[in-house]
Amino acid sequence: MGIRIRNIGSYVPEKILTNDDLSKFLDTNDEWIYTRTGIRQRHIAAPEEQVSDMGCSAAKKVLEEAGVSPSELGAILLSSTSPECLFPASACLVQEKLGAKNAFSFDIQAACSGMVFSLENARCILKGNPSMRYILVVASEKMSAIVDWENRDTCVLFGDGAAAVLLENDFQETPDALFPAHLGVDGAYFESLLLPGGGSRLPLTTALLDERQQFLHMDGKLIFKLAVAGMTEYSNIALERAGLSPEKIDWFVPHQANVRIVDATAERLAIPSEQVFRNVENYGNTCAATIGIALADMRARDLLKPGQLLLLAAVGAGLSKGAMLVRW
Ligand code: UT7
């Protein structure tokens, strides 16, 4: 049996917030944001638009285009750094809104590495369930609801959006499109990027709200270095395990947090700049959704050709790290 990517798609909210818009209420400017991050704008969800809504918008497009009914899905894996509630899993809302009555669903919390972690989990589930035909991998983020709009260090970096990938077991003797991923975490950096308040450790209180602990906190400089080192190391391991060298890669599709992180990683991997996909300029960091949105953009721009080898890599809060090779 072979696992293949049957379809991929994305959704971003209509509202766009540019760097110039930000400079109207924050002590920042387009020049600083663009030169430090490569970001020009990000999409912002409407107040009533939730993670499950954005995930469903991407998922519906993907299923309709593929001619696959939601009832044919065996599982839905949703990765989100900004889930709707601590529990239950937002994946349950996606299941309900899609009408995927035969699917089990759960959330994957791996922050910006969410898409790579989800694809690997979906791959393993399909391998372990030879009778299951389809799994839907969804990544959806409403980062605008969890960043501190009074903190210019962090709020300028993030955006909202979603992506969906439909994986199919084609029951043929075809090679898998997804290679086994290399995944890992380093919990020593738990405090370096987190949302401290609102969980069981720091339940919400007025004092906690006054301290703005309900919002994302990040040691940006440290995460920058860890992201470059982690994506480089994990990409090299994924390549080595597949017996491939970086020259075999047609496209490097890394997590889109900061174009300087992307470029520094590609340089260390010796992947030519023209084979590196970048779209952070248009979306900011949509955390778990960036790689899916990138793949959807690449396909829309006709950049992906059958047989091409893609290297996906991400580092995120946790510290979570992952790299995966994909045969398009
Ligand atoms: O993938 C996981 C998620 N992680 C990330 O996306 C973030 C990783 N980190 C980064 O992308 C970068 O470290 C940042 C973009 C967050 C910062 O870039 P940097 O080159 O490391 O900036 P810096 O720390 O050297 O610059 C900080 C300076 C400070 O001013 P002083 O102390 O040097 O006077 C800040 O106050 O830049 C100032 N600053 C800003 N100025 C204008 C910080 N944010 C802003 C801002 N506008 N938005």
Side-chain angles (χ1 to χ4, degrees), residues 22 26-33 35-37 39 111-113 151-158 193 216 218-225 227 231 255-261 285 287 314-317 319:
L22 283 167
L26 270 179
D27 181 16
T28 191
N29 54 73
D30 177 60
E31 204 263 329
W32 191 96
I33 300 172
T35 54
R36 299 290 174 121
T37 70
I39 299 167
C112 297
S113 309
N151 183 354
R152 66 178 186 171
D153 292 348
T154 49
C155 73
V156 305
L157 304 173
F158 296 95
L193 174 50
L216 176 153
M218 173 169 71
D219 179 345
K221 265 195 189 308
L222 177 63
I223 294 292
F224 188 110
K225 289 181 203 147
M231 288 203 290
H255 169 51
Q256 308 280 317
N258 182 326
V259 80
R260 289 161 54 218
I261 296 177
N285 181 353
C287 292
V315 164
L319 202 72

Side-chain angles (χ1 to χ4, degrees), residues 94-116:
V94 174
Q95 183 267 347
E96 206 276 324
K97 287 178 186 176
L98 284 179
K101 57 182 192 301
N102 298 312
F104 67 85
S105 63
F106 61 96
D107 284 5
I108 290 197
Q109 172 52 278
C112 297
S113 309
M115 179 54 84
V116 181

Side-chain angles (χ1 to χ4, degrees), residues 71-83:
S71 62
E72 294 179 78
L73 297 174
I76 301 169
L77 275 50
L78 173 77
S79 50
S80 185
T81 320
S82 48

Side-chain angles (χ1 to χ4, degrees), residues 224 228 232 259-269:
F224 188 110
V228 174
T232 306
V259 80
R260 289 161 54 218
I261 296 177
V262 169
D263 289 348
T265 308
E267 202 184 307
R268 280 163 179 74
L269 291 168

Side-chain angles (χ1 to χ4, degrees), residues 2-326:
I3 297 171
R4 63 186 181 116
I5 296 180
R6 176 68 186 270
N7 200 13
I8 184 152
S10 65
Y11 167 84
V12 285
E14 208 179 303
K15 183 179 167 186
I16 289 175
L17 188 69
T18 65
N19 293 346
D20 289 335
D21 294 333
L22 283 167
S23 67
K24 290 177 191 141
F25 62 92
L26 270 179
D27 181 16
T28 191
N29 54 73
D30 177 60
E31 204 263 329
W32 191 96
I33 300 172
Y34 188 68
T35 54
R36 299 290 174 121
T37 70
I39 299 167
R40 284 269 191 224
Q41 63 172 46
R42 67 286 294 141
H43 291 250
I44 303 292
E48 68 281 3
E49 194 171 30
Q50 306 302 346
V51 158
S52 58
D53 299 318
M54 291 188 280
C56 275
S57 297
K60 277 182 184 158
K61 224 189 305 183
V62 162
L63 291 169
E64 277 165 23
E65 278 175 17
V68 171
S69 153
S71 62
E72 294 179 78
L73 297 174
I76 301 169
L77 275 50
L78 173 77
S79 50
S80 185
T81 320
S82 48
E84 297 192 22
C85 303
L86 265 181
F87 79 91
S90 303
C92 301
L93 289 170
V94 174
Q95 183 267 347
E96 206 276 324
K97 287 178 186 176
L98 284 179
K101 57 182 192 301
N102 298 312
F104 67 85
S105 63
F106 61 96
D107 284 5
I108 290 197
Q109 172 52 278
C112 297
S113 309
M115 179 54 84
V116 181
F117 273 57
S118 295
L119 289 174
E120 174 62 5
N121 276 278
R123 189 188 70 79
C124 293
I125 293 170
L126 281 174
K127 284 283 170 206
N129 290 271
S131 61
M132 189 184 285
R133 180 137 190 214
Y134 296 110
I135 292 190
L136 187 68
V137 166
V138 182
S140 183
E141 299 284 12
K142 190 173 177 179
M143 297 305 291
S144 61
I146 63 164
V147 295
D148 184 349
W149 287 104
E150 292 182 12
N151 183 354
R152 66 178 186 171
D153 292 348
T154 49
C155 73
V156 305
L157 304 173
F158 296 95
D160 300 337
V165 183
L166 180 63
L167 296 180
E168 177 178 17
N169 177 359
D170 66 6
F171 300 113
Q172 312 281 317
E173 288 305 314
T174 50
D176 291 337
L178 307 183
F179 289 59
H182 181 59
L183 305 181
V185 294
D186 191 345
Y189 296 103
F190 188 88
E191 309 289 337
S192 307
L193 174 50
L194 82 168
L195 194 150
S200 57
R201 181 166 78 174
L202 286 178
L204 287 180
T205 59
T206 320
L208 192 126
L209 296 176
D210 290 344
E211 291 163 11
R212 308 187 76 73
Q213 301 285 331
Q214 71 275 33
F215 298 123
L216 176 153
H217 289 237
M218 173 169 71
D219 179 345
K221 265 195 189 308
L222 177 63
I223 294 292
F224 188 110
K225 289 181 203 147
L226 293 169
V228 174
M231 288 203 290
T232 306
E233 183 194 350
Y234 275 54
S235 295
N236 277 325
I237 295 171
L239 284 163
E240 208 179 288
R241 285 190 175 173
L244 294 165
S245 58
E247 303 91 71
K248 299 282 180 209
I249 299 301
D250 294 293
W251 283 108
F252 181 42
V253 190
H255 169 51
Q256 308 280 317
N258 182 326
V259 80
R260 289 161 54 218
I261 296 177
V262 169
D263 289 348
T265 308
E267 202 184 307
R268 280 163 179 74
L269 291 168
I271 297 175
S273 182
E274 61 278 11
Q275 284 165 244
V276 180
F277 188 74
R278 308 168 184 85
N279 67 357
V280 71
E281 177 169 357
N282 301 326
Y283 305 106
N285 181 353
T286 56
C287 292
T290 70
I291 288 179
I293 294 175
L295 291 172
D297 276 9
M298 291 174 83
R299 203 194 54 176
R301 285 156 58 176
D302 208 17
L303 298 176
L304 297 172
K305 309 288 176 208
Q308 283 184 335
L309 194 62
L310 278 47
L311 171 61
L312 318 181
V315 164
L319 202 72
S320 60
K321 303 182 246 188
M324 179 182 244
L325 288 158
V326 173

